[in-house]
């Protein structure tokens, strides 16, 4: 181990919590800082899936064709707040620009090592701690209306097969034998074995914060106002409760990392995908394993606190509150695929997925500042958080991980913010 350093981790979502825990285990003096409680943002409201299968980005080569169809179809899982489009346009142009065979393959090759060992990474992070109980190994099923609909997903399944993820197909009445909760609208179920999920993302984040404390780290609820650089290197951060000196900082604040990057004079191409969930409290039925409902592009996770149905993409920034249409769409599809589902009540939630134009996170040091980025994971933040934290801890200790970090280069969007 190198000389212990004083490190401030900014952001108490899964990436910040994981970074803080692994840095503390390396012997450093670690303080985790967030303006809210642990996992108050996307790390709380996500689908709770350890999506080892999520190595195909949204911006595949058919994006323009499918995206335009989705935008003009009110029953599609893609929504746009059109008033935000002028501000979104530069990011969107880069996002669409990556939707070609060469760049799509590049993104896939970079996502594979980041997500495919997620269950093992979560187990390693939590082994022997109070947080271990929330990590559940499970199978994962893709629910399709028909075999034809499954076959139409040939591109994504071809990529999964490349890494050894070969589904077991069930058709017709077999679907309901495997998953009795599914209604007759589902005629094909593709099951992947050996995956996992989190039984309660909010409780998991809270327990991870306690794990950090148990292991000698600190958690402080403060707002970061500025980052102090001396001769180009970080020497501290300014908070709403005063300055905090440090040798290094980890920026893991999700979409809120964007304004802090500006404090460093860096403009990062980061936008929010507004994600939604419905959480059915005390449901009358629960699926045996987590599911992806292909018709509505949303995930279903049986949790300790109820049944969560999460998905859709809405582009529209972070300033406006939830829209009614995405929640209405999820509810409509839930009623169709789970016709007998009842619940005491249904909670609604909306949060922000931090998304880059190339669907890859920013992981690594920002120039020579001593500030390390750990954000921008789009749909796979929970999945890749523990591995990201482990990589960051190794980099600060001067260790190169056995993974090519070039695709996640934190400086690849570097441009002057002034």
């Amino acid at each position: 181990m190198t000389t212990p350093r004083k490190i401030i981790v900014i952001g108490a979502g899964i990436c910040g919590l994981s970074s803080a825990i692994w840095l503390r285990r390396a012997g450093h003096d670690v303080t985790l800082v967030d303006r809210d409680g642990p996992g108050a943002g996307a790390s709380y409201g996500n689908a709770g899936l350890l999506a080892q299968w999520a190595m195909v980005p949204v911006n595949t080569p058919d994006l323009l064709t499918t995206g335009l169809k989705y935008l003009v179809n009110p029953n599609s899982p893609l929504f746009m707040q059109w008033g935000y489009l002028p501000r979104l346009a530069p990011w969107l142009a880069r996002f669409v620009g990556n939707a070609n065979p060469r760049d799509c393959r590049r993104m896939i090759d970079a996502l594979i090592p980041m997500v495919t060992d997620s269950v093992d990474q979560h187990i390693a992070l939590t082994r022997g701690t109070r947080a271990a109980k929330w990590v559940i190994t499970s199978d994962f099923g893709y629910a399709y209306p028909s075999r034809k609909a499954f076959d139409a997903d040939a591109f994504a399944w071809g990529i999964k097969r490349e890494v050894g993820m070969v589904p077991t197909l069930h058709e017709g009445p077999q679907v309901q034998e495997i998953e009795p909760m599914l209604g007759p609208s589902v005629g094909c179920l593709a099951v992947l074995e050996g995956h996992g999920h989190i039984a309660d993302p909010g409780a998991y984040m809270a327990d991870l914060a306690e794990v950090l404390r148990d292991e000698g780290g600190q958690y402080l609820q403060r707002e970061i106002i500025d980052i102090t650089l001396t001769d180009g290197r970080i020497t501290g951060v300014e908070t709403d409760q005063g300055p905090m000196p440090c040798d290094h900082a980890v920026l893991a604040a999700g979409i809120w990392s964007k304004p802090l990057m500006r404090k460093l004079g860096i403009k990062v191409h980061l936008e929010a995908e507004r994600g939604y969930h419905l959480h059915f409290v005390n449901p009358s039925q629960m699926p045996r394993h987590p599911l992806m409902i292909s018709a509505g592009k949303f995930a279903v996770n049986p949790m300790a606190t109820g049944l969560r149905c999460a998905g859709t993409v809405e582009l529209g920034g972070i300033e406006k509150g939830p829209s009614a249409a995405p929640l209405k769409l999820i509810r409509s599809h839930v009623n169709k695929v789970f016709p007998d589902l009842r619940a005491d009540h249904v909670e609604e939630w909306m949060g922000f997925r931090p998304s880059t134009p190339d669907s890859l996170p920013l992981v690594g040091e920002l120039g020579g500042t001593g500030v390390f980025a750990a954000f921008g994971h789009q749909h796979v933040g929970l999945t890749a958080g523990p591995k990201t934290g482990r990589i960051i801890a190794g980099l600060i200790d001067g260790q190169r991980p056995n993974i090519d970090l070039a695709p996640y280069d934190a400086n690849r969007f570097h441009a002057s913010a002034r």
Side-chain angles (χ1 to χ4, degrees), residues 43 52 85 234 243 357 400:
S43 289
Q52 301 187 137
L85 184 58
I234 188 167
R400 292 292 300 181

Coordinates of all heavy atoms in Angstrom, one line a residue, residues 43 52 85 234 243 357 400:
S43 N -29.4 5.8 -7.3 CA -29.0 4.5 -6.6 C -30.2 4.0 -5.8 O -30.2 2.8 -5.5 CB -27.8 4.7 -5.8 OG -26.6 4.9 -6.6
Q52 N -25.8 -7.9 -15.5 CA -24.6 -8.4 -16.2 C -24.8 -8.6 -17.7 O -23.8 -8.7 -18.4 CB -24.2 -9.8 -15.5 CG -24.0 -9.7 -14.0 CD -23.4 -11.0 -13.5 OE1 -22.5 -11.0 -12.7 NE2 -24.0 -12.1 -13.8
L85 N -35.2 20.6 -26.0 CA -34.4 20.1 -27.1 C -33.3 21.1 -27.5 O -32.2 20.6 -27.8 CB -35.4 19.9 -28.3 CG -34.7 19.3 -29.6 CD1 -34.0 18.0 -29.2 CD2 -35.7 19.1 -30.7
I234 N -5.7 19.4 -6.4 CA -6.7 19.6 -5.4 C -6.0 19.7 -4.0 O -5.1 18.9 -3.7 CB -7.8 18.5 -5.4 CG1 -8.9 18.9 -4.4 CG2 -7.2 17.1 -5.1 CD1 -10.1 18.0 -4.6
P243 N -14.6 24.7 4.8 CA -13.6 24.0 4.0 C -13.3 22.7 4.6 O -13.3 22.5 5.8 CB -12.5 25.0 4.0 CG -12.5 25.7 5.3 CD -14.0 25.9 5.6
P357 N -22.5 10.7 -24.3 CA -22.9 10.4 -25.7 C -22.4 9.1 -26.2 O -23.0 8.6 -27.1 CB -22.2 11.5 -26.4 CG -21.9 12.6 -25.4 CD -21.7 11.9 -24.1
R400 N -2.5 -0.3 -11.6 CA -3.2 -0.4 -12.9 C -4.1 -1.7 -12.8 O -3.6 -2.8 -12.6 CB -2.3 -0.5 -14.1 CG -1.5 0.8 -14.3 CD -2.3 1.9 -14.8 NE -3.0 1.6 -16.0 CZ -3.9 2.5 -16.6 NH1 -4.1 3.7 -16.1 NH2 -4.4 2.2 -17.8

